[in-house]
Amino acid sequence: MLHDGSLQTPNSNRQAWNRLVDVYSDCQECSLHKTRHTVVMGEGYAPSSILIIGEAPGHDEDWSGRPFQGRSGKLLRKFIAEAGITDRFITNVLACRPPDNRTPMDHEIQACLPRLMATIHIVEPRVILLVGKTAVHSLFYNSDMKTARRKARLLKYRCDGKSRAIPTTACYHPAYILRNPDEMDDFRLDLRFAVELLT
Ligand code: URA
């Protein structure tokens, strides 16, 4: 089953999005299709100022079809709103929930990468925010959080024959912040840094 996510768009990005949703509605590129309930494509604005990329759907996301719905999602959405980010799109490195929320495997990340790249292409973000170390590892190979937070690096990609480079930064995963509330202020600063990249 697929929840098409809600796309708020004033223009033809909608057609491209609907096509993408169609393509992935019954995706079987990796074995996660056997255990998932919903393909979680993402939701938000296209075009958008900031594209937020998390790790993978968890239980609540798998059942609702919407990214970042659980406790950590509530925290992320609260801080995004506080940082004044309104026109954003939220998705994940994986569109399907790994069993028991285990860490995504490399082959699953590779299998889902074309969907993520096509999402970036449609959302046309001015800035990308990678949420947590899986997103950082997946898009900036061999990088750790230390080298990715509060720095802007260019994420280069090709899609539909076009090349682009988008300023990209990172923050801790909100699940980590919930376990380490002392890092809350740093989390806030990371989000603020992402917003500053827009100016
Ligand atoms: N964690 C993520 O990384 N993504 C979600 O959508 C939910 C929890």
Side-chain angles (χ1 to χ4, degrees), residues 40 53-58 61 66-70 72-73 90-92 131 173-174:
V40 183
I53 303 177
E55 178 174 309
E61 294 78 21
R66 302 181 61 201
F68 280 107
Q69 290 301 297
S72 64
I90 309 179
T91 189
N92 284 301
V131 177
H173 196 283

Side-chain angles (χ1 to χ4, degrees), residues 121-183:
H121 188 65
I122 293 167
V123 169
E124 302 178 277
R126 288 162 56 206
V127 166
I128 294 176
L129 176 65
L130 304 174
V131 177
K133 60 179 187 229
T134 298
V136 170
H137 287 166
S138 306
L139 293 165
F140 289 132
Y141 303 93
N142 299 324
S143 292
D144 57 17
M145 291 301 282
K146 251 194 232 131
T147 55
R149 288 176 53 234
R150 259 173 267 168
K151 295 188 185 70
R153 287 169 62 180
L154 289 179
L155 178 71
K156 297 190 187 129
Y157 78 98
R158 273 183 77 75
C159 194
D160 280 359
K162 288 184 196 147
S163 301
R164 280 198 66 197
I166 303 172
T168 299
T169 186
C171 66
Y172 290 131
H173 196 283
Y176 171 80
I177 301 298
L178 284 171
R179 290 192 304 272
N180 299 276
D182 288 357
E183 306 279 1

